[in-house]
Amino acid sequence: VTGSFHYEEMVIRRASFLNFNLQAPLAVFVVDMSGLEKYLISEGSRREDHIHKVKSLILGICHHTLLGYPGGAMLQMKSDRIIGLVRAMDENDEKLLREKCREICRQLEKMCQKVRVSIGVGRTYKGVRNIKKSYEETLISLRIGRFLSGSAGVTFFQDLGPYRFLYELKDSESMRSFHQDYLGNLKLYDAQNQTELVKTLICYLKNNGNLRRTAEEMFIHKNSVLYRIKKIEEITGL
């Protein structure tokens, strides 16, 4: 999944010994268990044997849930994550994978009630070298999925729509320039005048432009919100 190998033929041959076809269209998924390490320490009083036992149970649940999945599944546990590699030939495979991911979430949260389980799934690719690409997409899916729906749930990269482009723009020069042109001026005004225009704008957008709800959340009068919004329009030209 990290692409750290030299010879494709060797990797394909090793996988075939385990009855896994690396030449089929494949997708990577990652099961992320937020709070697992804390849970293991609190439940097992730092006992290494207990931690190993719980991690084996977690891996066992994933293996059991994926039993019978067409083409099988390769799983590896790393710290508080499980990395999975599965075949995804068509819409039926994708539909089944969605069901299996949701079931894994349910089972693991039932077992470790204080742990929040998120699963990110990359797109399907053919070719051993492209597995890394799917893996990178799973990590993006996890991060954006948590941002959109909290710390738990299943997020497929292909379902992210425009969010994935926004994410890719995050640290780009064009995004920094855009930020400076608009929010930069607001931040400067706030710093010079001890105002809260940026905070007001965030609250206003979060409440879908509802002046009353924005005023209630910020504990100010509705007219104060209206005045601030007009000031934001004046400064940004938007």
Side-chain angles (χ1 to χ4, degrees):
V1 294
T2 59
S4 56
F5 58 87
H6 296 293
Y7 306 109
E8 290 182 31
E9 296 79 9
M10 187 181 292
V11 179
I12 291 167
R13 192 167 66 250
R14 286 181 178 178
S16 69
F17 293 148
L18 297 168
N19 242 358
F20 194 83
N21 181 13
L22 279 181
Q23 293 175 302
L26 300 167
V28 178
F29 68 88
V30 171
V31 182
D32 183 82
M33 290 158 284
S34 178
L36 178 63
E37 295 294 330
K38 188 177 179 182
Y39 169 80
L40 290 173
I41 290 168
S42 65
E43 293 291 311
S45 305
R46 297 179 184 269
R47 280 177 27 232
E48 197 62 38
D49 59 331
H50 177 79
I51 290 172
H52 182 72
K53 182 182 175 184
V54 173
K55 286 191 172 185
S56 294
L57 283 170
I58 288 168
L59 196 57
I61 285 170
C62 293
H63 270 299
H64 182 76
T65 305
L66 289 161
L67 277 177
Y69 185 88
M74 299 279 274
L75 300 175
Q76 180 194 25
M77 188 153 196
K78 290 185 76 175
S79 185
D80 56 356
R81 285 181 171 177
I82 291 171
I83 302 169
L85 184 63
V86 291
R87 190 192 81 181
M89 297 280 286
D90 51 33
E91 287 181 10
N92 291 329
D93 281 355
E94 186 195 310
K95 185 181 176 184
L96 182 59
L97 181 57
R98 288 176 186 271
E99 290 171 6
K100 296 291 186 185
C101 286
R102 286 193 289 266
E103 182 60 24
I104 287 170
C105 278
R106 282 194 294 268
Q107 292 289 339
L108 292 181
E109 288 188 344
K110 188 177 175 184
M111 176 189 163
C112 310
Q113 293 181 4
K114 294 178 183 175
V115 175
R116 305 300 292 161
V117 182
S118 304
I119 299 181
V121 186
R123 285 179 293 188
T124 302
Y125 291 98
K126 199 166 183 180
V128 184
R129 293 285 175 193
N130 289 322
I131 292 171
K132 180 184 178 183
K133 202 170 183 179
S134 184
Y135 175 60
E136 289 168 349
E137 289 176 356
T138 67
L139 303 182
I140 292 171
S141 301
L142 278 172
R143 287 193 285 268
I144 300 179
R146 282 199 206 100
F147 176 76
L148 293 175
S149 57
S151 60
V154 179
T155 308
F156 277 64
F157 185 81
Q158 66 208 50
D159 296 341
L160 292 173
Y163 285 104
R164 70 175 189 252
F165 301 115
L166 288 171
Y167 185 86
E168 286 161 9
L169 277 169
K170 187 165 63 77
D171 297 314
S172 67
E173 185 58 43
S174 56
M175 184 61 84
R176 279 193 288 270
S177 175
F178 183 86
H179 174 272
Q180 184 56 39
D181 288 347
Y182 296 104
L183 289 181
N185 292 334
L186 283 184
K187 286 183 174 182
L188 181 64
Y189 186 90
D190 277 346
Q192 291 175 343
N193 298 278
Q194 286 79 54
T195 50
E196 294 186 325
L197 296 186
V198 173
K199 185 178 176 183
T200 304
L201 179 60
I202 291 169
C203 191
Y204 180 71
L205 293 174
K206 191 176 77 173
N207 286 294
N208 295 316
N210 188 301
L211 291 171
R212 182 182 55 79
R213 284 206 301 267
T214 303
E216 287 172 357
E217 197 168 315
M218 296 196 72
F219 302 106
I220 57 177
H221 195 274
K222 182 179 169 183
N223 287 342
S224 297
V225 177
L226 189 59
Y227 169 79
R228 292 182 187 184
I229 295 301
K230 288 189 178 299
K231 195 72 187 171
I232 290 167
E233 288 177 348
E234 181 187 314
I235 294 168
T236 62
L238 296 173

